[in-house]
Structure formats: C-alpha cells, structure tokens
Amino acid sequence: MDLNDDQTTLQEWVHGFALNVMRPAAHEWDEREETPWPIIEEAAKIGIYGMDFMANTYADPTGLSMMIALEELAWGDAGICMALMGTTLAVAAIMANGTPEQQMTWVPQCYGTLEDIKIAAFGVSEPDAGSDVSSLRTRAVYDAASDEWVLNGTKTWITNGGIANLHVIVASVEPELGSRGQASFVVPEGTRGIRMGQKFTKMGIRASHTAEVVLEDCRVPGDCLLGGKDKLDEKLARVREGKKASGQAAMATFEATRPAVGAQALGIARAAYEYSLDYAKERKQFGRAIIENQGIAFKLADMKMHIDAARLLVWRASWMAATRKPFLNGEGSMSKLFAGETAVKVTEEAIQILGGYGYVRDYPVERWHRDSKIYTIFEGTSEIQRLIIARAISGVHIK
Ligand SMILES: Cc1cc2nc3c(=O)[nH]c(=O)nc-3n(C[C@H](O)[C@H](O)[C@H](O)COP(=O)(O)OP(=O)(O)OC[C@H]3O[C@@H](n4cnc5c(N)ncnc54)[C@H](O)[C@@H]3O)c2cc1C
C-alpha cells in the first residue's frame, strides 16, 4: 500500500504549496470572505490550477493522485482549496455529459490561460430543490427558429456563482418527468440574461464564493446543450414510453466524484489532529503535559484512527472509480459521509484539546471546525449519503 514515486513527488509538491502559500494566507481570506485571486494566480503559475493539473492527476490509473493532492490542499486551507477546486464541478459535469467535441471546446475555457485565468461554476441547487433535485424549477425551452435554448430560473448556493466565466446549469426540459426530464447547459462567458443574485456570508470555507445565480431569458446556442439534442430527444422519448432512462449513469458519476469531497474533509481533519497533538505535548497543566492524561491522549488516538479509516475509504472509492468497479454498496457515499463526519468530530475535539485557545481566532483550530461543517451538507448531505448506502445494501427503496 505504499505510494509510488510519482504519487510521493506529487504529495510533497502540493504539500509545499499548502504549507508555504495557503497556510499563511488562510486567516486573511477567511476574514475577507472573497475569492483569493492572488493565490489562484500563484497556483496557476506553478501548475496547481489548470487543465493540465486536473488531467495529469486524474490520469493516475490507481485513482489516488487526485485524492492525495486534495488532502494536501485542504490541509493548507479548505476555503482556498474550494476556490481552486470549484471549477472542477463544472468540468466534471462537462466530462460526464458532453460530447468529445464539447469537452474539447468547453473544458479549456473553464480554466483559461496563465495570462487570463478563468473560473467556472456548476448550478443545480435551487431555493426549493436542494436534496430533492427532481423538483428543479429552472426551465429550458427550445426555440427552434433560432436554434437556441432559453433558460429561466434561480439557482442558489452556487460555488463561484455569478462571478464564474462559464456556468454549467442543470434545468428542466420536461418538468413532469422529474429528474429524467432534465438536461445540462453550458452558459458561456459574455452570455446575456445571467447574473449574480445574493452573495452569501458563511460559517466556513469563506474564501470560496457562494451566491445565487439568476437566469432571465438567458439564451444559449443549441450546441450548449451537453450531449446534444438528438441524445436528449431519444432519452425523453424513452422516458415517456415508460422505459428507464440512464439514471444509473448519473448515480455512477456522483459516486465517482464523492471521494474527492471526502479527501478535502480528510485534509481538514488531519490539520486539526496534527496541531492538537503538538499542542497537547507542549501545554502543561498540573505540572505535566496535558497529553499525559488519558482523557486527552485517548481523544488523539480516536482522532488518528478515524482519519486513517476515512483515508482508506476515500482511497478505496477513488480506486474503484478509476478501475471502473461498480459501487454495489454505495462505497463513494461511504467515503464522503465518513470523512465529512470525521472532519467535524476531529476539529471539535481539537478545540477541546486547545481549551480557550481553540475557541479564539488567533489560532486556526476554530476555523478548521467552521470549515469542516460544510462537508456534511454539500454534494449530498450525510442523511442523503446514508439513504444511498442503505438502498444499495438492502435493495429496498428506503425513504
Ligand atoms: C457553501 C455551499 C456551496 C455549495 N455549492 C454548490 C454548487 O456549487 N452547486 C450546487 O448546485 N449546489 C451547491 N450547494 C448546495 C448544496 O448541495 C445543498 O445545500 C445540499 O444539497 C442540501 O440542500 P438544501 O440546503 O436545500 O437542504 P435540504 O435538502 O432542504 O435538506 C435539509 C435537511 O433535511 C434533510 N433531508 C432532506 N431530504 C431527506 C430525506 N429524504 N431523508 C432524510 N433527510 C433528508 C437533509 O439531509 C438536511 O439535513 C452548496 C451549498 C453550500 C452551503
């Protein structure tokens, strides 16, 4: 289970960036609550932000490289990590649903170039459709005369929403068909009728921009429909006839991307564990280091055990995705669920170990706890992950 030379080199390289660039900037961007453009530029300059980085890390046939990189980036700072990685949500949607031509056209435009860096956003969630994505209200109507799609609706909680150069928007083409009547659309830079709504102030990952995206008669060319119109028409015809659409394919995509979210949670948990372990050895009360008390040492033992278990689940799921093993037991969900909950628990225990020092902003531990909480909410809440696992292991449609 040793990492190979390439993986070790990647880990050391990304760790260096996390340690020397992200960590010193973390507090500032948490306070400013803005997209950390100088850090994104720095990352692009050394090759950590951009299409090549994504392509190279995802090309690892073991599936581990991206997990290793994400753990290190989130160890540096989860908010900045999300500012760097929010674009990949849109990229993943294009890769999963786009034709090869669409992939070639749009993926490079998500990242831009070193001289002209771009970011992208992926919009599914709506005010009344969070976990229940089948009830999206955003509509896409085809205008045959101009070969354009007209989008109307409001998306909410969108990472990079409204400031992205390119948005991928999931909209309903036939609302009565629920999630099977939906399609994904690229809204390229410069399109009229798309704007940012409210920008949210958040508990954690504050260096990552989160906002509403409002679509008002937003017209995109016909070829912005990912997968193309023929494929969509075929799918809708099959669904109308009562045959199953390939919902399984979408599930498989989500299962495959979940370990990447788990890897980030893992990075936060490791940061808090390492910090509190060092602190427990240094801090003296009653004439001895606090780690000499079982009450503290056992917490650290549990923290380490959960972190290692989370990493194994994340790596297993990522390896399964890379080697195209079927997720028969919701292994992708398991990895995200366990790592997300581990991050919340470990960062909370880290605060406890630091006592009052853990609770104040002069120390990073309270920030790590604030950052950790989102990992039980976005990309499928913990409850939804449990639902997926329970359905997978039982074959019962549990509600
Ligand atoms: C910082 C941030 C960034 C985000 N980025 C994006 C993004 O880039 N793109 C995007 O599309 N979305 C994004 N989201 C949205 C995110 O995915 C949703 O918040 C999430 O899916 C939950 O939806 P909701 O908030 O509407 O909660 P709800 O679905 O209303 O859930 C509320 C509670 O009810 C529970 N619940 C719901 N249904 C069930 C059920 N069947 N069984 C048991 N419990 C249930 C949930 O688990 C949760 O505890 C982001 C959110 C945040 C906060």
Side-chain angles (χ1 to χ4, degrees):
M1 292 175 77
D2 286 339
L3 299 183
N4 65 33
D5 287 348
D6 287 348
Q7 290 162 343
T8 308
T9 306
L10 173 80
Q11 189 177 44
E12 286 168 3
W13 175 52
V14 179
H15 184 79
F17 181 78
L19 178 70
N20 300 317
V21 181
M22 296 172 86
R23 277 268 171 115
H27 177 70
E28 178 191 343
W29 292 99
D30 176 54
E31 292 284 320
R32 286 175 66 165
E33 196 154 13
E34 289 168 6
T35 300
W37 284 108
I39 314 288
I40 298 177
E41 281 164 18
E42 192 80 17
K45 220 182 288 170
I46 70 157
I48 284 180
Y49 182 80
M51 202 169 74
D52 288 348
F53 180 73
M54 297 307 296
N56 292 337
T57 40
Y58 267 118
D60 176 356
T62 71
L64 296 193
S65 285
M66 184 48 91
M67 304 306 112
I68 292 165
L70 287 171
E71 181 181 333
E72 296 310 318
L73 290 173
W75 177 92
D77 181 63
I80 298 174
C81 174
M82 187 50 66
L84 291 169
M85 289 297 148
T87 295
T88 51
L89 299 172
V91 171
I94 296 169
M95 294 306 289
N97 302 302
T99 61
E101 294 74 33
Q102 287 173 323
Q103 293 172 6
M104 299 275 278
T105 306
W106 301 119
V107 173
Q109 293 191 31
C110 289
Y111 294 107
T113 62
L114 202 44
E115 295 72 37
D116 186 16
I117 294 169
K118 310 270 188 198
I119 57 174
F122 180 52
V124 184
S125 305
E126 297 182 359
D128 293 322
S131 301
D132 180 12
V133 287
S134 66
S135 59
L136 295 186
R137 291 210 188 138
T138 297
R139 286 295 311 271
V141 177
Y142 186 58
D143 177 357
S146 58
D147 182 28
E148 285 176 328
W149 287 91
V150 188
L151 305 176
N152 276 290
T154 299
K155 296 290 175 185
T156 197
W157 320 121
I158 306 306
T159 301
N160 294 341
I163 61 166
N165 303 90
L166 180 151
H167 292 75
V168 175
I169 298 291
V170 181
S172 183
V173 179
E174 289 205 12
E176 58 279 12
L177 300 182
S179 54
R180 294 177 304 167
Q182 296 168 356
S184 302
F185 299 85
V186 170
V187 181
E189 191 169 14
T191 305
R192 277 189 286 177
I194 185 167
R195 65 175 172 85
M196 185 169 93
Q198 181 191 354
K199 178 187 168 184
F200 296 101
T201 51
K202 303 197 296 293
M203 173 183 180
I205 59 160
R206 285 152 53 100
S208 167
H209 167 101
T210 313
E212 283 179 335
V213 174
V214 182
L215 299 136
E216 291 160 323
D217 287 331
C218 176
R219 287 179 167 267
V220 294
D223 60 10
C224 287
L225 164 64
L226 289 174
K229 190 151 185 323
D230 290 348
K231 197 171 161 204
L232 175 67
D233 288 343
E234 269 170 39
K235 178 180 102 170
L236 295 178
R238 259 186 292 132
V239 177
R240 272 187 232 109
E241 277 172 29
K243 293 186 190 143
K244 277 212 150 161
S246 54
Q248 289 302 334
M251 268 326 272
T253 307
F254 280 130
E255 278 294 284
T257 54
R258 283 187 181 122
V261 185
Q264 294 170 52
L266 183 56
I268 307 173
R270 199 184 99 216
Y273 160 74
E274 289 172 1
Y275 198 94
S276 51
L277 175 63
D278 288 346
Y279 185 86
K281 288 181 184 166
E282 289 293 317
R283 176 71 173 169
K284 290 200 170 56
Q285 289 294 286
F286 301 101
R288 58 180 185 267
I290 59 170
I291 199 169
E292 290 178 37
N293 304 296
Q294 284 188 357
I296 296 295
F298 285 7
K299 276 191 204 308
L300 287 156
D302 283 349
M303 288 156 80
K304 174 69 172 149
M305 175 177 69
H306 279 89
I307 289 168
D308 282 9
R311 186 179 295 107
L312 289 172
L313 285 175
V314 165
W315 285 10
R316 177 181 73 168
S318 189
W319 169 78
M320 289 175 72
T323 53
R324 304 209 183 284
K325 303 265 184 298
F327 290 104
L328 298 177
N329 300 296
E331 289 87 347
S333 291
M334 280 186 206
S335 70
K336 192 262 178 188
L337 169 62
F338 193 80
E341 295 197 342
T342 293
V344 174
K345 179 82 182 138
V346 165
T347 53
E348 200 217 326
E349 291 288 53
I351 293 178
Q352 196 63 27
I353 292 170
L354 265 81
Y357 296 99
Y359 197 69
V360 294
R361 294 212 170 176
D362 305 34
Y363 288 75
V365 178
E366 63 82 33
R367 186 179 71 245
W368 289 328
H369 188 48
R370 287 187 287 109
D371 288 347
S372 71
K373 187 58 196 158
I374 190 62
Y375 290 87
T376 67
I377 297 173
F378 67 5
E379 301 260 332
T381 63
S382 286
E383 290 76 16
I384 296 300
Q385 308 301 341
R386 286 193 168 85
L387 204 61
I388 294 166
I389 299 163
R391 284 178 185 168
I393 60 174
S394 68
V396 177
H397 192 75
I398 294 155
K399 293 187 187 62

